[in-house]
Amino acid sequence: MAYLFISYPRRQAEVVTRLQALLEARSIEVWRDTEQLRFGTAWDSRVTAAIRGAAMVVLFQSEDWFASGPCRSEADQARYYHRPIVTLSAHDEALDLEAAAAFVAGRFAARPPEGDVVADLEVQAAQWAEGGRRVRDLARRQNLRRFVPLTSRADTVTELAEDFVRQSRRWRRIVRLALATLAVGVITSGAFVTLGAYQTARVDEADRANGALLAQRATFEAALAASPYAGAEAALAEDASSDGYTTLVDAQQALERCVPVAYMAGGGAPTASGATVDAEAFAFPEAGRAEASGAGWYATSSPNRRNLYVRRTDAAGAVSAAPAVTVALDAPCDDIVASPDGRTLAVVTARGVELFDPKLGTCFTELTGAPTSKGCVLAWSADGERLAMRAPDGSAAVWEPHPRTTVTAHTGLWFMDGVSAVGGAQAVFLARDGSLAVVDATTGELLGTETCLVDTLTLATDIAPGISANEVYVVGADTEGAPLLCLVDLTAHTAQPVAVPEDLAPLYVATSPEAGIMALSDGAQTVVLDLASGEEERRIEGVSVSALAVDVEGRVFIGSLGGGGLSVVEPGSIVPAKTEAVGIDGISSTSPTPGASPRALAVGATHAVSVGDGFAENGSLALTNVDGSWRLTTGYLAFWTPTQAQQARALAVSPDGSVFAAGFSDGTVAFLRESDLCPGSTVREQASEVRALAFSPDGSAVIAAMRDGTIARVTVDEGAFDIATLHERLQQRLDTARALGLR
């Protein structure tokens, strides 16, 4: 039976007991460490096993929880075993336990079924390992069929679980080969024995190849964890002639670490020509600070400086009584400071420098490559482009935290979606209230805000290009809550309702001016209309819809709710084309992810890509057109993109169709080559959720619209797809570090 694990400090035992009673009254089994065994053999075996098999882990957080090593260890265990985590804040003594129990019960009931399968897999893998890894304890039949899809996606199960499934599959293949051999008559038995041996050899060869890649990856990750320069050396040691994705991704990730652009050793002497740190450019404090304030927030550190409490501030500067966010640090903070625009909190400890989104409490960038020690202080440059750290011995380092991202506007809008307009020269981003932000697609400059829909719609949800370069279609809810389709003329600043079939309440819209069609869906059915006349051409039924796209040939691509499906309907057809589940260059393919729902679609020349909500990943899917047939691959983007984001809501394809860009809920922007879905660079220099993307006309940049109203320009790195170019950059990084005295 599925159960909850509750992590709590001893002082909260009484209130947790009451919470447990409320949950059990809702027929939810609760496991908690009532004996409070801590950090001994009993704790390791009993608590770890409980977390491993839990359907969900509840962190009952208070200041005592953050100060408790066992509690933090329990949270680490939950993350290691990929358990769904629910956080309850117990800072307020007047915590409403009834509401808390109802909240937890709701999350427990709504958990995706895949999570319980992960727990079953981890439990069986642990039993297999503890029992001496015996063949008889391997997974078989139905269990193996349930477990195999989980191992095709990164960051879903532990390495032990992956090994357990790999060995189970290997043994199944051997058994099948043996059975096939036994079924053959005496005359042909010798031939089949030879064939069985050949197949077994192929399995062994594949296992060795996979093992070599895993070993290469493990070596690289260990080196990168030690230092960015060791990671660069490990990536350079890999075979540059290899066209494998692993080699390419290792080089990309080594370069994505943010290292100093300038450094001075203790005593103030520059370590290389031009590498001086201009003290006048940075106003270093005399001593570390314990508080900082920014745009709508005020942060203070706890007495032991291991926790940060972030409170909200209103327009008058009044500070809320209770913390809105608590940040647990790995070491006591020596200094905290807000960026000049007040949107980033920089923290330095003896272990390093981190940048946080103060409103979310999430770290989105770590600044590495320079030694830190107790007593370091920080200072931003006036323009916010650089951050400097000074150590007690006088050494100083300077980083550029966001070299590829330029914030061009803070609109205060809640963006939902966006499209390219005016022949790609502009991007139009749709806000929740119906406002349209019109942006120069080359520079990211905000050209203006169109508000002609604000009094018409109470909620805007989707946008698509119109026939004219200056027109867009917008779907939303009118003042009475009824779905409405409007055509907006950006030049005339007007909006007019568009007639739709009477039995259709549109939620999603997609257009193809080249093919002359519009696709409208209410989530249950999709109607294809002639874009010029508005007449209905065909109707697609029986396919649920959570995302919609139309290509230049008139194909309709549909992302489906719940099961994470992606299908294509050919021109003139009313049923999805048959698709085959396959792998792409070694990436395993599985059935659609349970609980996943595509939220954005983009179509290139040979691939259609979707991203969205997914349990423990972003629900990425790809359809590939091979000689007129369609092949489906799942999970590829989560596999190659170093992000923990479980949601992705933005996709765009470059004007020449060569590059996809995807935006994630943690602020990450990732690039993929369209021709083969080869991974490119990953940029995470802002914390807010990316809601819409649009390429510049020449494809050299994407303009990103964030959930919090920020508009930013992110450069595209074409060299990130070429291993030779990446190795040149890695060597340059090492040469610069050596000149600065950092290696």
Side-chain angles (χ1 to χ4, degrees):
M1 179 179 178
Y3 63 88
L4 283 174
F5 179 98
I6 301 182
S7 171
Y8 65 98
R10 182 176 302 193
R11 292 184 182 180
Q12 298 287 343
E14 182 179 349
V15 67
V16 171
T17 298
R18 298 201 301 271
L19 175 64
Q20 178 179 353
L22 292 170
L23 290 170
E24 290 176 343
R26 291 171 167 83
S27 300
I28 297 175
E29 184 178 343
V30 175
W31 196 102
R32 46 185 288 235
D33 183 14
T34 55
E35 297 178 17
Q36 294 289 321
L37 295 174
R38 296 303 189 195
F39 290 107
T41 302
W43 187 92
D44 286 335
S45 61
R46 193 162 56 83
V47 175
T48 300
I51 293 173
R52 183 191 297 126
M56 188 170 287
V57 174
V58 176
L59 307 182
F60 199 74
Q61 293 181 335
S62 63
E63 187 164 345
D64 289 331
W65 188 96
F66 285 103
S68 168
C71 287
R72 295 198 304 274
S73 180
E74 288 165 354
D76 290 341
Q77 291 265 31
R79 286 187 284 269
Y80 176 75
Y81 287 111
H82 307 285
R83 298 295 74 225
I85 295 175
V86 174
T87 300
L88 294 179
S89 176
H91 291 289
D92 187 356
E93 294 182 357
L95 175 67
D96 186 339
L97 287 179
E98 284 284 356
F103 170 72
V104 172
R107 292 287 298 275
F108 188 77
R111 71 190 189 281
E114 183 186 57
D116 292 351
V117 181
V118 172
D120 290 344
L121 170 56
E122 294 291 356
V123 168
Q124 291 192 29
Q127 292 171 348
W128 171 68
E130 292 166 0
R133 297 179 179 244
R134 297 174 298 190
V135 169
R136 69 184 186 187
D137 293 330
L138 291 171
R140 290 175 173 81
R141 299 183 181 89
Q142 182 61 32
N143 273 342
L144 185 56
R145 285 194 291 270
R146 293 165 62 224
F147 296 159
V148 166
L150 301 176
T151 60
S152 66
R153 301 182 299 276
D155 296 330
T156 300
V157 296
T158 63
E159 291 183 5
L160 174 63
E162 290 179 352
D163 188 38
F164 173 69
V165 173
R166 185 164 51 250
Q167 295 300 331
S168 298
R169 297 183 71 185
R170 184 174 185 272
W171 180 249
R172 182 183 64 175
R173 289 192 290 267
I174 291 173
V175 169
R176 285 181 172 178
L177 288 170
L179 291 175
T181 302
L182 290 173
V184 177
V186 175
I187 297 176
T188 58
S189 61
F192 274 92
V193 166
T194 303
L195 177 61
Y198 170 72
Q199 293 291 348
T200 302
R202 289 189 62 187
V203 170
D204 289 338
E205 182 181 354
D207 283 346
R208 284 193 296 271
N210 289 335
L213 283 177
L214 289 173
Q216 172 183 314
R217 185 66 178 169
T219 299
F220 167 74
E221 289 179 342
L224 191 61
S227 84
Y229 309 121
E233 290 173 337
L236 277 173
E238 297 174 4
D239 185 3
S241 65
S242 169
D243 59 358
Y245 283 4
T246 301
T247 301
L248 190 70
V249 171
D250 287 351
Q252 292 165 354
Q253 292 183 7
L255 286 166
E256 284 158 10
R257 291 299 176 98
C258 189
V259 298
V261 296
Y263 180 72
M264 284 197 315
T271 57
S273 175
T276 59
V277 179
D278 185 357
E280 295 182 358
F282 300 97
F284 289 111
E286 292 297 323
R289 293 151 289 193
E291 60 181 28
S293 60
W297 57 271
Y298 171 72
T300 58
S301 66
S302 61
N304 64 6
R305 307 198 70 142
R306 296 191 71 98
N307 299 312
L308 297 178
Y309 305 121
V310 183
R311 294 171 168 81
R312 298 284 184 257
T313 59
D314 59 21
V319 181
S320 63
V325 171
T326 298
V327 178
L329 303 173
D330 292 333
C333 64
D334 293 304
D335 191 27
I336 61 176
V337 61
S339 60
D341 65 3
R343 296 177 181 273
T344 300
L345 176 63
V347 178
V348 61
T349 72
R351 296 189 179 182
V353 181
E354 296 179 310
L355 303 185
F356 286 87
D357 178 338
K359 293 188 176 180
L360 299 177
T362 54
C363 172
F364 64 90
T365 296
E366 296 180 4
L367 308 182
T368 61
T372 56
S373 60
K374 182 175 177 56
C376 291
V377 292
L378 300 172
W380 287 92
S381 61
D383 58 7
E385 296 296 320
R386 295 175 296 159
L387 179 67
M389 177 195 71
R390 187 186 66 195
D393 66 357
S395 62
V398 179
W399 290 269
E400 293 179 353
H402 40 83
R404 291 180 58 186
T405 303
T406 303
V407 174
T408 59
H410 295 294
T411 65
L413 299 172
W414 179 334
F415 287 120
M416 301 291 286
D417 196 7
V419 294
S420 293
V422 193
Q426 295 178 0
V428 181
F429 297 122
L430 174 66
R432 194 170 187 267
D433 67 353
S435 300
L436 296 170
V438 182
V439 178
D440 185 302
T442 298
T443 65
E445 176 189 359
L446 179 64
L447 301 177
T449 303
E450 178 60 68
T451 60
C452 61
L453 281 173
V454 171
D455 295 330
T456 303
L457 300 179
T458 57
L459 174 65
T461 58
D462 208 2
I463 187 172
I467 299 178
S468 166
N470 295 295
E471 293 178 338
V472 293
Y473 288 97
V474 174
V475 168
D478 64 18
T479 54
E480 296 182 355
L484 181 66
L485 175 67
C486 292
L487 178 62
V488 178
D489 187 318
L490 298 171
T491 302
H493 308 287
T494 59
Q496 59 183 20
V498 177
V500 300
E502 292 184 0
D503 61 342
L504 188 77
L507 295 175
Y508 308 97
V509 59
T511 61
S512 173
E514 298 86 351
I517 63 171
M518 169 191 291
L520 280 176
S521 178
D522 57 9
Q525 59 180 335
T526 302
V527 176
V528 180
L529 307 173
D530 182 278
L531 193 56
S533 66
E535 295 182 359
E536 180 175 334
E537 292 187 353
R538 52 196 165 111
R539 185 168 296 219
I540 303 163
E541 298 179 318
V543 183
S544 65
V545 178
S546 60
L548 205 57
V550 183
D551 72 1
V552 296
E553 302 295 331
R555 300 183 184 94
V556 179
F557 295 85
I558 300 174
S560 297
L561 285 164
L566 176 60
S567 55
V568 56
V569 180
E570 295 284 0
S573 177
I574 60 172
V575 296
K578 295 181 66 175
T579 58
E580 175 189 2
V582 298
I584 295 180
D585 290 346
I587 307 174
S588 297
S589 178
T590 69
S591 59
T593 307
S597 295
R599 299 296 182 186
L601 276 167
V603 184
T606 58
H607 289 90
V609 170
S610 74
V611 294
D613 304 335
F615 182 72
E617 64 167 60
N618 52 66
S620 55
L621 301 163
L623 276 173
T624 310
N625 191 328
V626 180
D627 298 329
S629 63
W630 292 94
R631 300 178 180 179
L632 176 68
T633 300
T634 71
Y636 68 93
L637 197 54
F639 190 84
W640 295 116
T641 304
T643 174
Q644 299 300 314
Q646 296 187 16
Q647 293 180 330
R649 298 294 182 89
L651 268 175
V653 63
S654 60
D656 64 0
S658 64
V659 177
F660 285 112
F664 296 81
S665 59
D666 64 357
T668 297
V669 177
F671 297 94
L672 297 165
R673 188 165 57 200
E674 195 279 341
S675 60
D676 57 0
L677 298 185
C678 175
S681 59
T682 299
V683 182
R684 191 183 179 196
E685 298 172 354
Q686 298 291 320
S688 182
E689 178 180 6
V690 182
R691 281 301 188 94
L693 292 168
F695 272 87
S696 62
D698 62 0
S700 65
V702 291
I703 311 302
M706 312 292 189
R707 158 68 177 80
D708 64 0
T710 300
I711 296 175
R713 183 181 187 274
V714 181
T715 59
V716 178
D717 182 7
E718 290 286 350
F721 296 107
D722 179 62
I723 189 63
T725 300
L726 294 176
H727 276 207
E728 288 179 6
R729 295 175 182 176
L730 287 169
Q731 190 59 57
Q732 291 172 0
R733 169 167 289 191
L734 292 175
D735 293 343
T736 301
R738 186 179 292 110
L740 293 174
L742 289 170
R743 288 185 61 217

